[in-house]
Amino acid sequence: MVIGWTLIYLTHMPQDFYFGSALSPEQSPDTLTALYLSLVTLATLGFSDVTPADPGLRLLTPFEALLGFVLLTTAISWIVQVYPAPGRRRSVANRLSILQSCRATGVLAGGEPCVASRMLEGVTEDAIQAETDLLQYAESYSFLEEEEEMSLARNPPLRAGAGGSRKIVIFAGSPPRGRDARCGRREPRRCVDRAYLRTGCPTPEVLASYSADHGFGRHA
């Protein structure tokens, strides 16, 4: 935007502009003056040491200032909205890391369903929020984490054996009524594959691709 408006002003320099009494157009190259005017106008500073004299430019200059204001407010709004998303993703990754380090899968596989439900209730909420963030703020997918315990790509979902099979035990909906009851799955990595990786592979391959894409190698 700055360069584009500079080119517009440059074609009118210096004949279509008024210069302050302390300025001398002959002592400054037209390109620098046009660039200065574009920067000052886009930043909505309005020093008024260089002002347009041409009627068309007098209408265009406020329009550039309006664009600069929109650009500034949009950038601030984007940062305010996107910044919390990686924090929520770190939270669920840290919970998964802690649960796995405490060998929670054994409790989930052999413990009472009510205990497992209570243990996973908070993780389920965070997993749903992480999935929503990944869909709503696509740019947040590219935010990488240096610490493994804070990376959702490095911490796979909790799994537990049931009836000789393995199933994802992060669930949404009503809690299971028996040890072998089916759980509704809530898996952010399916969303990752659908929106970003597009491998179409089963969950283990998606987990490996997701982990490799975030710099942890194919071992998640």
Side-chain angles (χ1 to χ4, degrees), residues 123-176:
V123 181
T124 302
E125 268 183 46
D126 287 349
I128 294 172
Q129 184 63 62
E131 179 180 350
T132 304
D133 289 339
L134 285 170
L135 290 173
Q136 188 167 356
Y137 308 112
E139 57 275 12
S140 69
Y141 173 80
S142 302
F143 293 177
L144 306 182
E145 302 294 339
E146 295 183 358
E147 300 179 9
E148 292 188 4
E149 63 272 13
M150 293 293 181
S151 174
L152 192 59
R154 182 63 184 88
N155 293 281
L158 294 170
R159 298 171 181 269
S165 63
R166 290 168 68 85
K167 64 181 179 180
I168 299 174
V169 295
I170 293 181
F171 59 88
S174 39

Side-chain angles (χ1 to χ4, degrees), residues 177-216:
R177 303 191 178 201
R179 183 169 298 173
D180 296 329
R182 296 280 181 180
C183 300
R185 294 184 180 185
R186 200 67 195 177
E187 180 47 77
R189 286 153 180 84
R190 288 185 174 183
C191 153
V192 168
D193 189 49
R194 191 168 58 247
Y196 306 103
L197 300 175
R198 306 188 183 196
T199 63
C201 296
T203 298
E205 285 77 7
V206 172
L207 294 176
S209 298
Y210 184 28
S211 181
D213 205 24
H214 281 66
F216 293 107

